[in-house]
Amino acid sequence: MLTSTEAIGALPTTPSWECWRAGRAEGRLIGGVINRIVLAQATPYALPLEWFDGAVLFWEEMGGHASYVWSYLQVLRHCGILDRISGMVVGVPYAIDGLDAPDASPTLPEMVLDVLGERDIPVLGNVEFGHAGPNLPMPVGIHVSLDAQQRTLSLLEPAVRPHATTGPLG
């Protein structure tokens, strides 16, 4: 991924991946830790909302409480980000109080789908990137294809490009 100038294609799927809302989307990959996305939006370093137009938003969270995740999702909704994205990929929640019990209510999929409401956005959940490992690559800015029902996420562009003066590595 870090040296090839060829697109990676489909990332390896595991049984944990879940379709939370069926559908397909293509767009630029944008995201990270949800609390950092939300907190950045309240600073002069906020990402312009246009950057989310047609994007596939990926996010994960580590630590804290389920109520925090709920609040972060609400901020994304109220600031208009959820109205702009074409798809969503959610990482495996890691050490979040209130989500780790088998009878947790609401569950993370229930929270996400409730906040999305009637927005027709495909959602792929429990994808192993970020803190949960095995840390699938999520290169920000790469054009991706998401098919939530088929549980696939494909990188359609390489993560690196040849340097203009040296050409491809040989």
Side-chain angles (χ1 to χ4, degrees), residues 7-8 12 18 23 28 34-35 47 63 69 93-94 108 125 137 146 156 159:
I8 296 296
E18 298 175 344
R28 298 277 170 209
I34 193 171
N35 69 46
L47 296 175
V69 175
Y94 186 78
L108 185 56
L146 164 66
L156 303 178

Side-chain angles (χ1 to χ4, degrees), residues 70-138:
W70 173 258
S71 296
Y72 300 144
L73 289 167
Q74 292 293 343
V75 171
L76 294 178
R77 180 174 71 91
H78 286 292
C79 76
I81 289 174
L82 298 183
D83 290 325
R84 293 173 175 266
I85 62 173
S86 65
M88 183 183 288
V89 180
V90 181
V92 177
Y94 186 78
I96 300 175
D97 292 340
L99 290 181
D100 45 13
D103 59 346
S105 180
T107 65
L108 185 56
E110 289 170 339
M111 277 193 258
V112 169
L113 295 177
D114 183 58
V115 172
L116 285 175
E118 298 300 315
R119 293 167 184 83
D120 190 20
I121 298 169
V123 181
L124 184 61
N126 284 329
V127 178
E128 298 97 340
F129 61 86
H131 291 90
N135 263 330
L136 290 171
M138 300 299 270

Side-chain angles (χ1 to χ4, degrees), residues 9-84:
L11 294 176
T13 305
T14 69
S16 76
W17 291 25
E18 298 175 344
C19 174
W20 293 352
R21 178 174 285 154
R24 288 185 234 168
E26 280 192 21
R28 298 277 170 209
L29 197 56
I30 189 169
V33 179
I34 193 171
N35 69 46
R36 298 302 182 235
I37 297 167
V38 167
L39 293 172
Q41 290 309 106
T43 73
Y45 306 103
L47 296 175
L49 286 179
E50 301 80 45
W51 285 19
F52 293 95
D53 289 345
V56 174
L57 176 67
F58 74 94
W59 63 269
E60 57 120 0
E61 180 64 324
M62 176 184 161
H65 301 279
S67 62
Y68 299 171
V69 175
W70 173 258
S71 296
Y72 300 144
L73 289 167
Q74 292 293 343
V75 171
L76 294 178
R77 180 174 71 91
H78 286 292
C79 76
I81 289 174
L82 298 183
D83 290 325
R84 293 173 175 266

